[in-house]
Amino acid sequence: MTDERWQRVKAIFQAAVERRPEDRESFLVSATGDDAALRREVESLLASDAQDVSFLARLQRLGAAVLAESSAGLHEAVSATTAARPLLSPGRSLGTYEIIGHLGAGAMGDVYRARDTRLNREVALKVVAGPIPEDPNRLARFRREAQLLAALNHPNIAAIYGVQETAEIRALVLELVEGPTLADRIGQGPIPHERALSIARQIVDALEAAHEQGIVHRDFKPANVKVRADGVVKVLDFGLAKALGSSGGDAQPAPFDTAATREGIILGTAAYMAPEQAKALPVDKRADIWAFGCVLFEMLAGRAAFRGETVTDVLAAVVKDDPDWALLPATTPVAVRRVLQRCLVKNPRLRLRDVGDARIELEDPADVIGRTIASGGSTAHGRGWLPWAVVSALLIAGVAGWNAWGARAATSPLANATFTPFTNWEGSEEGAEISPNGELVAFLSDREGEFDIWVSQVGTGIFHNLTRDLPPLAASGFIVRKLGFSADSAQIWFNPADGKPPMIIPWTGGTPRPFLPAGTNTPSWSPDGTSLVYIDKANRDDPIYLADYTGADKRQIFGPGPFKNMNPVWSPDSQWVYFGRGVEPQDESEIDVWRLRPTGGAPERVTAQHLAINFLAPLDARRLLYVARAEDRSGPWLWSLDIPTGVSTRVASGVDQYTSVSTSRDGRRIVATVANPSASLWRVPLLNRQAEEGDAERYPLPVPTGFAYAPRLGRQALFYLSERGTDDGLWKIQDGEASLLRRGLDSPLSEPPAVSRDGRLAVVVRRQGKRQLSIMAGDGTSVQTLAASLQIDGAAGQGGVDWSPDGTRLVVGGHDEKGPGLFVIPVDTGVPSRLLEGTWVNPVWSPRNDLIVFAGRSLIGQVELRGVRPDGTSVELPQVMVRPGGYRFLPDGSGLVYVERIQSQDFWLLDFATGERRQLTHLANQGAVRTFDVTPDGKYVVFDRSRQSSNIVLIERPKQ
Amino acid sequence: MASPQDVTALLAGWSRGDSGALSQLVPLVYVELRRIASRQLGRERVGHTLQPTALVHEVYLRLVDQRQADWQNRAHFFGVAAQLMRRILVDHARRHNAVKRGDGVRCVSVEDAHDVPASDQIPILALDHALDRLQKVDSALATMVELRAFGGLTVDEVAQVLKVSPSTAKRDWRTAKAWLNRELGLTDRRD
C-alpha cells in the first residue's frame, strides 16, 4: 500500500467512525465512489474497530514472558508446553486459588504463584502437562500417590497440600518456597564445604523421612532443592515423578515420561540418574542415594560428577565412568569423601543402603564431640572418627564456643549490649568508624555547612573537625565507606573526592597527605598492622591488592572478574580478607560476602543473599556485621553473618535503620549510624504576596505528635497519619485532644481520609491486596465498606476520594470489571454509578457543588487538570499541569490550590473566575512535601514536611 | 553506573539534537531495564506481575533526576525505553519459542508465535511482526503503539511526544488499534 493510499484509508476511516453507525454505510459509499478495494479496506478496519475489547488490557498482560538472565541450565529455558495446555494468567482463579504470577516452567509443567483464598496463604501451583488421563486406573493412582505425598510432613520437604482439578486443568498445590535453587547456587561456583555439609545434612533428613514412608523421589537433582536465605533447605517435587508417571507403570523412570521429551530436560535429569535408572531397570530408594551423592559432589566441586555433550554421553558416563575425584577441593574432609564413594557405587546392591547412614559422616565434629563427651567419652560411631588427641587439642584451644556450633540459633551479637547516643546533632552524620583500639570515633557531619570529618575520643564528649580548612569532601551518600582508621589507631584515611587519591591524616589533626594511588578505595589494615588490602577502583574490574602498611610494595591478590568488589576487611585472625562482591555498589544492588586468603587464590562465596551489603565489620572469629537492605527493600538494617554456615540474621529489631557499622578489634565496641526519618506538620498563610519560608511555621498542636504527615482538615478537627512503630495509624486532634482512630488493616493506612462537612470520614484502604473504599464515623467507629466491586486508583498518599458538599455522595476514580472511570457513590445505597469513562483519578468536589476536578494518570510526574459537573456535563478548565493528586479546593470554592509537580515545594492558586494562576509561596527547600490541605477558614495551607536525619550510636558489648 | 545527573544531561543533549547522546543513553537504559526485570522476576512479590510499563517507569525514576528533567526529556526517555522494552521482550520470546522447537535459534514465523494458546493474551512475536508492518505503512502510528504498549504513556502524553493535538492522537490511536486488531486476528498470514 502506498503512503498516499494509506492516508486516504485513514482519513475515511476516521471520518466514518465519527458518524453514527447507521450513517456510516452511506458515507462510505459516497467517500469511496467506485473504488471497491478502498471501500473494503476501510470496512475491514471498521469491522475490527467494532470488535475492539480493551486492546491495551490484553496487551498489558504480556508481563510474564521476560528476561531470562538468572536461569541455570538448558532445562530451565525449555517450556514444557504441549499444544493443548492452557496458560494461566495472573488474576485468573483456579478453584479457590487466585493466580498471582508465573514462577517458571519445569519438566512436568508450569509453576505459578497463587493465593489460597480460603486460608489466605501463598502457594505454588504446578500445572500438570499433558491431557487429563481418561483412564480411571491412572486417575485413581494419581490421586492415591498425591495423598501419600500429602502425608509427608517434614521441615526439609516442600509440602504438597493437595490437588486442584477443573475441567481443563489439573494442578498440584505445593508449598511455596522462596529462594534460589541449589542449581542456581552451584552455578555461581563451588560451595564452601562447611556450608555444603550443612545443606547436605538437611537433604539427608528429608530423604530419610521420605524413605521411611516408602516414598522415593526418583528425580532428585539440584534444581529440586531450594535454599532459603535463612539457610533452611527444602526438597521439592518428592515422588511426583511416580505420581505423574506415564502409562508404563512403576518401572518407567521419570526422564522418559512422554510429557517431558524435550532434549534439555532429559539432559538436566540424566546427570543425576542412577545406573539402574539409566538402564531402565526398576528403581527404589537407592536411586535417591545415588542422586544425593551426585549433588553433594557437585556442591563441593562446582561441577557435575557425570557430564557429557548429549544424553547418551552422560548416561554412558553414569554407567561406565568414575567421577573425577580430583575435582573435589583439597580441604574436603576424608569422611565426606568416603560418603561420596559409598553413594556413587554403581551396583545398587553394594551402594550405601540407608541415607541415614550418611549423616554420621557429614556431621559437624563439634556436635559429635559434644555428644561424645556428654556420653562419658565412649564413641559409638565406629571407625574413622577423630582420634582423641585431636579432640582434646580442640578443647584446650578453647575453640570459640564449640557449644555454639552445635546450637542452630545463634544468640544476637547485641545481647546485653548498652546503647548510647554518641551524637545527637541537627543535620546528618554518616559513616561512623571506630578505631581498632576502640577509643576513637570518626564520622562525617555537615554540622558546619559542608561535610567534614569529625573525631572524638569515647567518653570525652569533645569533637574536633579535622577537615575544616580543607576543600569540601566528596558528596555524601552513606552507601560506601569513606573513611577509616589505620591499624595503630593513630591515623585516619579518607576519600577527599571522587578521582582524587585517598589521604591520610593523624587523628589529632594536621596536614593530610596522599598515601595510595588515585582511584583506590577502602583500605583495610591487617590486625597486626603489617599489611594492607585495598581495591583499585580506577580499574573497571576492581582488583584487590595487598601491600605493606604504608601502601608500598603492592601486589594483586585477586584479579578481574565480571563483578564489582568492595569494602575488604581482615578477619581477626588475619587468615582471611572478607569483601563484598556483586553488581554495582548501589542502594539496590546485589552484593554478597566473599572471602579470600591474603596470599591470594580463588575466593569463596560466604553468603548467597544478594542484598545490598556494605560496611563489613568483623565481630569475632565467627561473626561479621554488616548493613544491608532486606529482600523487600526495607531498611537498611543491621545484620550478623555466621561465617561457617553462611547464614545471616537481622540484628536489633525495631524500626531503626542502620546506615553504617564499624567494630573495634576486640569486638567490644561498635559504632553505627542510625537514620531517623522525621515528618511534621507545617502551615503557611495565604497572603496577597508570595509567602516566604519565614512565614511558614510548625502547625500549632496541643499535643506532641512525633511522626505526622498527610493532614486533612475538617470543620472541627485535624486528621493526620502517623507511622512510627507502635502508634501507627490515623490520628485526630479535636478540642485540644489527640486520639488514635484507626490502625491499618492488613497493611498500614497510607491514604489520608476525606472529611465530610459533618465530620464523617471516607478513606481508601488496602484489603487483601485491593484498594477499596471505606467510610466511618468521625471517631473511627462504624466502619463500612462501600462499593466493594470498585478498585480505587490514583496517586499514592493523596486520598483518592472526596465527599459531595452535602455529604450524601462520594466520588472516586477507579475501575470495576467493566473498565476504568470516575464513579459517584451514594452513601446510603453504596452502589456506584459511572460518571465518566476513562482512566480518571484523584477527584475533588467543589464546596459550591458546581465542579469536580480530577486528572488522568501519569507516569511522568505531572497531569493535566480536568473538570466535570456533578451531573456529568463537561467543563473546560484552563490548561494547568499539576502533581498527580496535588490539588485542593479553597473552602469557598473560588479557586484551587495546587502543587506543580512531584518534589515541588511551592503552592499555587488557580482562580476560577479569572482563570489566572498565581504562585502563593516561595519556601526554602528543607524537606519533601507530600500532602496538603487548606484550613476551613481559608487562611492557611497545612502540609507535611519530611526529613531524613541520622545520629551515631555507640554500642558496648559485655565481655564474652 | 550512571548517575541521574548524567542520564538527565544525556536526555537533554539528545533533545537538542545530539545523536551521540542517544547512543550513550541506550545502553544505560538497557542495562537498567534488564537488571530491574531480573530482580522482579527472581523475587515476585504479592500481586506484582511484571509489566513492561511499570518496569519502564521504575527505570525512569531510577535513572533520571526528577528535579532537572523537564517534560521534553521525559517524553524522550519514554520513547527510548519503550523501544528497548520491546526489543527485550521480543528477544526473549524468540529464544523461548525457538528452543521449544528444539532446533536452535532460528527465525520464528508469526504462525509459530500463535502456538501459545492463551486466549486473552497477545503473543509478543505476533505483535512485534505486526508493528514492523505498521511501521512501513504509517510510522507515526507504529511509534504511538510502541509508546503506549511498552512505554505506558497515555494518549495525551503520546500527543505531546509526537507533537500533535490530543484529538488527533485519539483518532490515530483508534485507527492504530483497528489496524492491529485486524492484523493480529488473521491466523493464516505468513511472513
Side-chain angles (χ1 to χ4, degrees):
Chain A
M1 165 157 333
T2 68
D3 195 40
E4 273 174 40
R5 190 155 173 85
W6 166 250
Q7 294 302 327
R8 276 194 75 193
V9 170
K10 186 161 95 168
I12 298 174
F13 169 79
Q14 293 189 347
V17 292
E18 307 267 293
R19 286 166 166 65
R20 292 177 308 171
E22 52 267 28
D23 299 332
R24 282 177 197 165
E25 168 122 24
S26 49
F27 167 73
L28 260 191
V29 169
S30 62
T32 59
D34 52 5
D35 190 341
L38 181 63
R39 194 168 86 220
R40 272 201 302 278
E41 187 74 26
V42 179
E43 271 170 359
S44 70
L45 280 182
L46 285 170
S48 119
D49 172 75
Q51 282 169 17
D52 175 39
V53 177
S54 309
F55 179 83
L56 266 193
R58 288 164 70 198
L59 212 55
Q60 301 292 36
R61 277 177 274 162
L62 301 164
V66 198
L67 287 181
E69 188 92 291
S70 63
S71 55
L74 188 57
H75 64 286
E76 292 271 345
V78 173
S79 151
T81 319
T82 61
R85 192 166 61 86
L87 264 185
L88 296 174
S89 46
R92 261 196 68 169
S93 288
L94 192 66
T96 53
Y97 297 94
E98 190 189 286
I99 307 293
I100 297 173
H102 186 251
L103 284 175
M108 282 173 270
D110 279 5
V111 185
Y112 298 86
R113 178 190 293 262
R115 173 174 286 280
D116 180 343
T117 56
R118 287 167 311 165
L119 298 177
N120 200 27
R121 67 173 170 190
E122 280 184 78
V123 299
L125 274 189
K126 196 176 193 101
V127 175
V128 177
I132 310 281
E134 301 296 4
D135 176 17
N137 287 334
R138 277 196 66 196
L139 207 47
R141 207 190 64 194
F142 169 81
R143 295 212 180 102
R144 216 171 33 239
E145 295 292 341
Q147 267 180 333
L148 259 179
L149 295 171
L152 257 185
N153 192 359
H154 189 275
N156 294 118
I157 300 180
I160 293 185
Y161 297 140
V163 181
Q164 191 74 10
E165 299 182 51
T166 68
E168 327 133 305
I169 296 178
R170 191 198 314 158
L172 287 159
V173 187
L174 309 167
E175 180 187 344
L176 182 68
V177 186
E178 311 275 11
T181 65
L182 197 52
D184 295 337
R185 282 281 273 116
I186 296 175
Q188 286 156 343
I191 300 177
H193 77 263
E194 273 169 333
R195 185 89 175 96
L197 292 189
S198 157
I199 295 173
R201 282 193 288 273
Q202 298 181 65
I203 294 175
V204 164
D205 287 351
L207 288 176
E208 191 181 46
H211 290 173
E212 267 169 351
Q213 301 277 349
I215 294 176
V216 179
H217 192 297
R218 301 172 111 90
D219 193 19
F220 183 69
K221 55 192 177 187
N224 277 338
V225 178
K226 281 244 184 174
V227 184
R228 286 196 331 213
D230 62 357
V232 170
V233 162
K234 294 257 183 188
V235 179
L236 315 174
D237 293 352
F238 248 104
L240 291 190
K242 183 174 179 204
L244 304 168
S246 62
S247 53
D250 287 1
Q252 194 70 2
F256 299 122
D257 193 334
T258 49
T261 51
R262 298 326 191 258
E263 175 91 2
I265 291 163
I266 301 177
L267 200 59
T269 311
Y272 308 95
M273 281 169 72
E276 64 269 20
Q277 249 176 329
K279 297 184 215 168
L281 294 172
V283 291
D284 61 1
K285 65 180 184 174
R286 289 170 294 183
D288 279 356
I289 293 174
W290 169 279
F292 166 73
C294 291
V295 169
L296 179 54
F297 183 97
E298 198 170 330
M299 278 200 283
L300 295 168
R303 286 180 14 164
F306 302 98
R307 301 158 72 228
E309 292 285 312
T310 65
V311 174
T312 324
D313 290 352
V314 171
L315 293 181
V318 164
V319 168
K320 288 189 357 281
D321 299 345
D322 280 345
D324 185 357
W325 300 107
L327 288 174
L328 291 174
T331 52
T332 310
V334 165
V336 173
R337 289 176 192 270
R338 213 179 10 254
V339 165
L340 284 170
Q341 277 157 358
R342 292 174 65 196
C343 287
L344 295 177
V345 171
K346 299 202 192 290
N347 184 344
R349 284 200 290 233
L350 302 176
R351 195 179 300 153
L352 183 74
R353 189 166 200 80
D354 290 309
V355 71
D357 289 347
R359 185 187 292 113
I360 297 157
E361 314 275 28
L362 299 175
E363 272 180 345
D364 200 324
D367 284 345
V368 182
I369 294 173
R371 278 206 300 278
T372 310
I373 289 172
S375 65
S378 62
T379 158
H381 293 309
R383 61 184 192 275
W385 201 231
L386 285 180
W388 267 107
V390 178
V391 168
S392 30
L394 283 174
L395 285 178
I396 289 166
V399 174
W402 65 262
N403 282 321
W405 286 2
R408 275 227 95 227
T411 50
S412 164
L414 298 191
N416 302 319
T418 52
F419 286 67
T420 330
F422 198 74
T423 69
N424 209 340
W425 301 343
E426 276 287 317
S428 302
E429 289 89 67
E430 300 179 357
E433 296 286 328
I434 190 161
S435 57
N437 63 9
E439 302 295 325
L440 302 166
V441 175
F443 56 94
L444 291 167
S445 169
D446 62 355
R447 191 185 198 190
E448 288 185 355
E450 318 151 327
F451 273 96
D452 285 315
I453 298 179
W454 291 73
V455 83
S456 171
Q457 272 177 296
V458 173
T460 63
I462 303 174
F463 297 85
H464 297 284
N465 182 341
L466 276 191
T467 60
R468 180 181 286 124
D469 302 322
L470 297 176
L473 297 178
S476 73
F478 39 70
I479 308 302
V480 183
R481 186 165 268 155
K482 290 217 171 282
L483 58 98
F485 282 89
S486 58
D488 59 4
S489 303
Q491 303 193 79
I492 297 175
W493 70 266
F494 63 97
N495 270 323
D498 288 334
K500 296 255 168 51
M503 311 271 252
I504 195 161
I505 184 175
W507 77 267
T508 46
T511 315
R513 56 182 176 78
F515 82 114
L516 284 179
T520 59
N521 207 349
T522 53
S524 171
W525 279 264
S526 58
D528 65 6
T530 57
S531 19
L532 168 51
V533 284
Y534 61 85
I535 298 188
D536 180 4
K537 284 286 188 191
N539 184 322
R540 236 163 31 107
D541 297 317
D542 292 350
I544 301 180
Y545 284 84
L546 180 77
D548 75 15
Y549 69 98
T550 66
D553 202 24
K554 68 174 199 264
R555 68 187 176 83
Q556 190 172 310
I557 57 171
F558 181 45
F563 297 123
K564 298 285 180 185
N565 302 315
M566 61 204 71
N567 197 195
V569 292
W570 291 75
S571 60
D573 62 0
S574 302
Q575 292 300 305
W576 295 97
V577 172
Y578 288 88
F579 60 100
R581 183 167 164 77
V583 179
E584 299 287 0
Q586 274 198 56
D587 224 8
E588 310 291 351
S589 58
E590 302 189 345
I591 313 268
D592 273 318
V593 177
W594 290 59
R595 67 179 185 182
L596 179 64
R597 292 277 184 203
T599 43
E604 291 176 11
R605 172 196 290 269
V606 181
T607 67
Q609 258 184 308
H610 304 306
L611 303 180
I613 290 173
N614 220 314
F615 290 100
L616 300 183
L619 192 64
D620 54 33
R622 195 180 164 102
R623 287 175 295 190
L624 190 72
L625 297 181
Y626 61 88
V627 157
R629 288 189 184 271
E631 282 236 357
D632 60 2
R633 288 201 269 150
S634 61
W637 313 116
L638 185 61
W639 297 77
S640 169
L641 167 65
D642 179 65
I643 295 167
T645 57
V647 172
S648 290
T649 41
R650 229 186 96 181
V651 173
S653 63
V655 294
D656 288 326
Q657 297 177 2
Y658 283 76
T659 57
S660 83
V661 67
S662 167
T663 52
S664 61
R665 183 170 298 133
D666 61 4
R668 298 263 326 267
R669 280 194 177 148
I670 303 171
V671 288
T673 314
V674 178
N676 284 317
S678 69
S680 49
L681 300 179
W682 290 67
R683 71 176 180 186
V684 65
L686 298 181
L687 307 166
N688 284 331
R689 58 169 172 86
Q690 269 186 21
E692 302 287 333
E693 181 61 40
D695 299 308
E697 57 180 354
R698 286 189 193 264
Y699 192 83
L701 290 166
V703 293
T705 47
F707 196 88
Y709 66 104
R712 281 288 183 254
L713 292 151
R715 282 269 173 85
Q716 316 278 355
L718 163 73
F719 298 87
Y720 63 92
L721 295 178
S722 182
E723 188 187 286
R724 194 92 182 284
T726 53
D727 294 331
D728 291 1
L730 175 64
W731 284 79
K732 170 180 181 176
I733 297 197
Q734 183 166 9
D735 301 325
E737 298 216 339
S739 49
L740 175 59
L741 290 194
R742 289 223 63 85
R743 298 175 185 281
L745 296 167
D746 58 345
S747 56
L749 271 180
S750 57
E751 297 293 337
V755 190
S756 69
R757 218 164 255 180
D758 60 353
R760 280 172 300 156
L761 302 173
V763 67
V764 175
V765 296
R766 216 180 173 79
R767 201 175 276 123
Q768 290 173 344
K770 298 202 178 82
R771 282 158 55 102
Q772 295 189 316
L773 188 55
S774 270
I775 57 169
M776 61 186 86
D779 57 3
T781 59
S782 316
V783 181
Q784 240 186 295
T785 309
L786 286 189
S789 60
L790 272 189
Q791 269 245 61
I792 317 293
D793 297 316
Q798 302 297 334
V801 57
D802 204 9
W803 292 87
S804 61
D806 62 6
T808 58
R809 287 169 293 169
L810 292 163
V811 64
V812 292
H815 63 275
D816 60 12
E817 68 271 348
K818 297 209 188 78
L822 210 56
F823 295 84
V824 172
I825 305 151
V827 174
D828 50 4
T829 65
V831 175
S833 71
R834 196 181 291 260
L835 185 65
L836 272 186
E837 267 208 22
T839 318
W840 307 117
V841 292
N842 294 114
V844 287
W845 203 312
S846 165
R848 288 186 187 166
N849 203 22
D850 59 353
L851 179 61
I852 293 174
V853 170
F854 58 96
R857 293 175 77 170
S858 172
L859 301 174
I860 302 190
Q862 275 194 320
V863 289
E864 193 182 325
L865 282 181
R866 305 222 178 222
V868 70
R869 303 215 182 279
D871 63 6
T873 54
S874 64
V875 160
E876 274 291 318
L877 290 183
Q879 203 203 21
V880 185
M881 299 299 288
V882 300
R883 174 194 174 142
Y887 38 90
R888 308 288 295 163
F889 275 97
L890 285 179
D892 64 3
S894 64
L896 199 72
V897 177
Y898 65 92
V899 172
E900 284 194 305
R901 52 165 62 87
I902 295 178
Q903 301 207 327
S904 282
Q905 301 296 315
D906 290 313
F907 300 100
W908 288 66
L909 176 65
L910 168 67
D911 186 318
F912 288 124
T914 63
E916 283 189 0
R917 282 161 281 170
R918 98 177 149 90
Q919 186 169 348
L920 291 173
T921 68
H922 180 65
L923 300 176
N925 195 339
Q926 272 195 22
V929 169
R930 195 154 173 255
T931 314
F932 70 95
D933 202 1
V934 183
T935 52
D937 59 8
K939 292 199 177 140
Y940 293 92
V941 171
V942 179
F943 56 101
D944 57 27
R945 257 185 174 166
S946 59
R947 291 198 57 178
Q948 189 86 348
S949 69
S950 47
N951 290 311
I952 296 174
V953 145
L954 174 70
I955 305 168
E956 300 186 77
R957 300 169 67 224
K959 226 173 163 55
Q960 301 294 311
Chain B
M1 154 80 186
S3 69
Q5 290 87 1
D6 296 339
V7 173
T8 314
L10 284 174
L11 274 178
W14 181 39
S15 296
R16 288 193 298 270
D18 173 9
S19 54
L22 178 62
S23 60
Q24 288 186 60
L25 192 54
V26 165
L28 294 176
V29 177
Y30 187 78
V31 161
E32 197 64 19
L33 275 173
R34 288 190 79 101
R35 231 158 55 77
I36 295 179
S38 288
R39 184 183 316 118
Q40 286 186 357
L41 264 188
R43 302 174 191 164
E44 284 207 337
R45 289 187 271 281
V46 178
H48 188 114
T49 45
L50 183 60
Q51 299 206 2
T53 58
L55 205 56
V56 168
H57 174 52
E58 204 175 329
V59 172
Y60 175 70
L61 285 180
R62 220 170 281 281
L63 283 183
V64 177
D65 184 351
Q66 307 284 338
R67 278 168 292 204
Q68 305 286 354
D70 66 20
W71 166 242
Q72 294 281 20
N73 295 332
R74 289 170 196 174
H76 274 101
F77 174 88
F78 278 87
V80 172
Q83 277 180 18
L84 284 175
M85 197 67 226
R86 175 180 164 191
R87 210 65 294 122
I88 292 168
L89 288 173
V90 165
D91 285 347
H92 175 90
R94 280 216 183 99
R95 257 184 297 138
H96 215 70
N97 270 359
V99 176
K100 188 173 72 168
R101 289 179 73 87
D103 34 5
V105 177
R106 64 161 210 182
C107 204
V108 179
S109 78
V110 174
E111 252 190 328
D112 297 333
H114 282 279
D115 231 359
V116 176
S119 56
D120 49 8
Q121 286 196 0
I122 295 180
I124 296 173
L125 289 182
L127 176 62
D128 183 57
H129 283 260
L131 273 181
D132 280 343
R133 284 195 290 271
L134 182 58
Q135 181 80 25
K136 298 193 184 97
V137 171
D138 189 328
S139 66
L141 288 191
T143 307
M144 173 178 283
V145 174
E146 203 173 52
L147 285 171
R148 290 219 71 198
F150 299 101
L153 301 192
T154 63
V155 180
D156 287 335
E157 287 159 356
V158 170
Q160 299 195 34
V161 173
L162 297 181
K163 298 200 173 46
V164 297
S165 73
S167 38
T168 305
K170 281 197 193 75
R171 279 196 300 267
D172 282 349
W173 174 239
R174 190 168 179 178
T175 315
K177 276 196 295 185
W179 193 93
L180 273 175
N181 276 335
R182 189 183 70 184
E183 285 295 302
L184 291 173
L186 293 174
T187 53
D188 294 333
R189 286 281 278 264
R190 280 189 183 272
D191 266 3

